[in-house]
Amino acid sequence: MESGLRLASGLRLADRYRLVERLGDGGAMEVWRAVDELLDRPVAVKLPAPGGPPRAFQEGVNRAAGLSHAALETVFDSDVTRDASGRLIPYLVTEFLDGETLADRLRRGRLTAPEAASVCGRTAAALAAAHAAGVTHGDLRPGKIMLLGDGVRLVDTGIGGIVRGAPAEVPPAADIRALGAVLAACLPPGTAGELPALAARCLSEDGPSARQVADALTPDDAPLHRVRAGLPATAAPRRTIVLPPPAEPGPRHRRGLRVAAGLLAAAVPAAVAAVLAAAPRAPVAVVPPVRSGALPPATATGRPPAAAPAEPAEPAGTRVRGALGRLRPIVSRGHAAGQIRSDVALDLTNVITNLENDLTADRDVDVGRRIALLHDKIATRRRENALSPGVADELNRVLATIAA
């Protein structure tokens, strides 16, 4: 084992996650590229540095696992293992993101204004989903924003601050100030107009919410493949950023605000330098069945009306998503009744969510294989007595409707 590492390449965790290689500096975490041998997919395994608070880390992981947003990193699993010295350590398994961090991209130069608005708008949308669920990031910086071919991912939400020793309860306003610093760091020097003003507003004490920032920045997205490659952005329509005005200060505060405005002008470059150095899912609509065998009503002439055009067949993706949407409540009820072990409930929920996300994103998915793997997982957990026979049968009946 390399000096300073808590785990070694080739180690298998939970009899399924095989560590392949240590990734670049994960800051206060040890991060590995691994292979989920059960589902045959790449994953990332993360564990806190020695001396970190394991209980706080696990609580942060539990909060992050309940989040769902296209720009948030997906949590697959979590457990504990022993390091080389025999000490118990928690670890987290997430999706493997093949891209580069915003910090790496900024080392090659600043973004254009449309690119900065696109990246920070998507990041703000991810923060808004997390804040709505009562979860904050706690360590937002360019190194925590991944640029991918198909979008942006905000990583380590819920645990970012914990692994760096920040208080467990970081207020949302701290994330907003960090977002303002990131936006300012992305903009070219001398940029004028609404974006620098928005960055300054985020850095102020009466900053907007993450949702307000997202709504202001997301209308005009820049092509993210150009952001990642450092290519010139295509022309984008001029945006108009509208945010609610801050509360009108009383007379006794106006002089203080004039002083603060001067300090803020100096604070933005300082924040940029520091940065550079360093939901509930929407319900799935299920198409109601069409009753057959009923005769059409007669018209005034006594003849039945002309036949209506045949209803189009229900798309396979809709049927699958409908079935997946019925699985999640079964898992939740089973867990609440003590009929599903906690780690199994989390694992099943993640499998269901991942397949839903793939179908929603219109990715090329081998649905039959994924459903077969889910059947096998249910059977295995039933044999291990981690899943009651009644819940297993109920899950399998829903899965059978997909192949019907």
Side-chain angles (χ1 to χ4, degrees):
M1 182 185 304
E2 296 177 45
S3 175
L5 295 186
R6 309 185 75 186
L7 302 180
S9 177
L11 180 68
R12 296 177 80 235
L13 303 175
D15 202 30
R16 66 182 288 186
Y17 304 115
R18 179 171 52 83
L19 303 185
V20 177
E21 65 173 339
R22 169 81 183 272
L23 299 179
D25 180 19
M29 284 194 291
E30 188 173 309
V31 183
W32 288 82
R33 180 172 67 85
V35 175
D36 181 347
E37 295 182 331
L38 180 62
L39 297 179
D40 190 26
R41 63 181 177 184
V43 295
V45 173
K46 306 179 181 184
L47 55 151
R55 177 174 295 181
F57 179 82
Q58 187 59 54
E59 290 173 352
V61 169
N62 292 343
R63 289 192 295 267
L67 301 175
S68 179
H69 188 273
L72 283 171
E73 172 187 49
T74 301
V75 174
F76 291 149
D77 200 357
S78 68
D79 207 336
V80 295
T81 188
R82 293 189 183 273
D83 63 12
S85 64
R87 290 173 298 190
L88 277 175
I89 50 173
Y91 66 86
L92 166 68
V93 182
T94 71
E95 63 179 322
F96 178 74
L97 300 173
D98 186 12
E100 69 173 346
T101 67
L102 177 59
D104 290 336
R105 170 61 185 83
L106 289 176
R107 291 188 185 101
R108 301 198 304 271
R110 303 290 184 95
L111 308 183
T112 65
E115 291 168 346
S118 178
V119 170
C120 292
R122 297 176 191 218
T123 302
L127 281 178
H131 290 178
V135 181
T136 55
H137 191 284
D139 187 28
L140 178 59
R141 49 193 169 91
K144 298 296 184 181
I145 300 172
M146 293 292 298
L147 304 178
L148 311 174
D150 63 345
V152 166
R153 295 288 194 287
L154 179 60
V155 304
D156 299 341
T157 302
I159 63 171
I162 294 171
V163 298
R164 289 175 66 88
E169 297 298 329
V170 176
D175 284 345
I176 299 302
R177 287 192 291 270
L179 179 61
V182 170
L183 176 57
C186 291
L187 295 173
T191 302
E194 297 163 328
L195 291 178
L198 176 60
R201 174 79 183 277
C202 290
L203 288 163
S204 67
E205 291 186 0
D206 60 342
S209 68
R211 172 49 54 200
Q212 290 171 333
V213 177
D215 290 345
L217 292 178
T218 49
D220 306 322
D221 284 339
L224 284 171
H225 71 278
R226 291 178 173 269
V227 176
R228 186 174 168 190
L231 299 173
T234 54
R238 178 178 177 82
R239 70 181 71 246
T240 300
I241 297 176
V242 179
L243 290 175
E248 182 66 25
R252 60 192 295 244
H253 295 300
R254 288 190 179 115
R255 181 179 179 276
L257 286 178
R258 286 195 297 270
V259 174
L263 293 176
L264 184 59
V268 171
V272 172
V275 167
L276 290 177
R281 176 178 301 277
V284 178
V286 179
V287 179
V290 178
R291 292 184 300 171
S292 58
L295 294 176
T299 63
T301 61
R303 294 190 298 271
E311 290 287 337
E314 181 183 4
T318 301
R319 186 176 70 252
V320 175
R321 287 195 294 272
L324 294 174
R326 296 194 297 275
L327 289 176
R328 188 177 289 103
I330 298 173
V331 174
S332 298
R333 289 196 305 270
H335 180 243
Q339 296 177 320
I340 303 180
R341 208 169 62 201
S342 296
D343 61 316
V344 175
L346 175 62
D347 186 30
L348 291 175
T349 300
N350 282 332
V351 172
I352 295 166
T353 299
N354 294 336
L355 182 52
E356 282 181 328
N357 289 342
D358 288 344
L359 291 170
T360 301
D362 201 24
R363 299 189 180 103
D364 187 13
V365 179
D366 187 344
V367 174
R369 178 174 177 273
R370 298 276 285 273
I371 296 301
L373 289 172
L374 187 52
H375 271 299
D376 292 343
K377 183 185 291 288
I378 293 169
T380 299
R381 297 308 193 184
R382 179 175 178 173
R383 288 194 300 270
E384 295 172 348
N385 294 322
L387 181 68
S388 74
V391 173
D393 291 343
E394 192 174 0
L395 292 170
N396 284 326
R397 282 196 297 271
V398 175
L399 290 175
T401 65
I402 296 177

